[in-house]
Amino acid sequence: MKKIALITGATSGIGRAIAVKLAKEGCNLIITGRRADRLSELQKEIQDKSEVKVLTLNFDVRVYKEVEDSLSNLPKEWKDIDILVNNAGLAVGLNPIHQGVVDDWERMIDTNVKGLLYVTRLVTPGMVERKSGHIINLCSIAGKDSYANGNVYCATKHAVDALSKGMRIDLLPYNIKVTQICPGAVETEFSLVRFKGDESRANQVYKGFTPLFADDIANAVFYAVSQPTHVDIQDMLVMPTAQATGTIFHKEA
Ligand code: NDP
Ligand code: 8X3
């Protein structure tokens, strides 16, 4: 039987690439996000090219009621989720702490921490019952170290790191793997979102070096999920060759 993978934030960037990769490798998919049109387009694209089934779920991970309504009422054939990819997330703003925008802070904390928790809370009981499952959390180099003006985003990713460790301990008796993937700079819509639609500022982030691409992270996810039953890849730090730390890059002029 084909595995079922649920991917949050599949409308763009890393989540979208993971969906395409896991479909190519034969998983049936539950893809989620707020932009319903993009979910439908991706569903069609994947189903036109392969034999896998794709279910779309349109919800905002920040709103528990929406998450609960979607995940508690899955059709029977979609209930047994084998792989949960907690990918939905964002950075908003890049300000020193004393000039932080409270609404930006709320968006990051509600999405990256509370949203990840809401989805995990609803998916893991089934995995526990079946004594089987694999959770992939998208963390970041920002979850390993803080960088200038990244304060709250870095804090949310440090929280993801703590939650990955905690999940691994709590779910250990139930044969559930927890993998955390920590990318450096990946060229997606991430910087466009961080800089609130300012394209020139967003493009500047990826100038002068070759960043990672979403497919690189999808390959890392596939590596983790394709290991034998007794192997858990706990933590992967994946950086562009031209990036040493969160802020040290080798850029050509
Ligand atoms: P994108 O902006 O391209 O994609 C983000 C995805 O998250 C979108 O599909 C978006 O869907 C979804 N999302 C955001 N907010 C919500 C919400 N409230 N409810 C539901 N879905 C939401 O960025 P990336 O692909 O780069 O980011 C994916 C993950 O990778 C994030 O967790 C990010 O922190 C992490 N990461 C990214 C890095 C990078 O350099 N790009 C590096 C390290 C980690 P929609 O808007 O349709 O809801
Ligand atoms: C995204 C990478 O370095 O912009 O998590 O925080 S970074």
Side-chain angles (χ1 to χ4, degrees), residues 7 13 23 65 117-118 121 124 180 188 231 246:
I7 302 151
K65 180 85 176 68
L117 282 170
Y118 295 163
R121 178 64 184 87
T124 46
Q180 167 168 282
T188 61
V231 178

Side-chain angles (χ1 to χ4, degrees), residues 139-142 147 153 157 183-185 190 194 243 246:
C139 186
S140 169
I141 180 67
Y147 54 78
Y153 178 67
K157 291 299 179 177
F190 177 85
R194 167 170 260 173
Q243 183 180 7

Side-chain angles (χ1 to χ4, degrees), residues 8-15 32-35 38 59-62 86-91 111-112 138-141 153 157 181-191 193 206:
T8 66
T11 58
S12 170
I14 295 170
T32 84
R34 290 167 300 177
R35 286 169 286 184
R38 290 200 186 190
F59 60 80
D60 185 330
V61 293
R62 293 172 297 179
N86 278 316
N87 164 78
L90 78 182
T111 310
N112 300 356
L138 257 295
C139 186
S140 169
I141 180 67
Y153 178 67
K157 291 299 179 177
I181 305 208
C182 300
V186 189
E187 189 167 9
T188 61
E189 292 177 14
F190 177 85
S191 292
V193 172
Y206 309 107

Side-chain angles (χ1 to χ4, degrees), residues 7 17 40 45-46 55 61 64 108 115 122 144 169-170 175 183-184 190 240:
I7 302 151
S40 305
E45 181 186 315
I46 291 173
L55 177 72
V61 293
Y64 184 71
M108 290 187 276
L122 290 158
K144 301 282 181 192
I169 296 165
D170 296 348
N175 196 34
F190 177 85

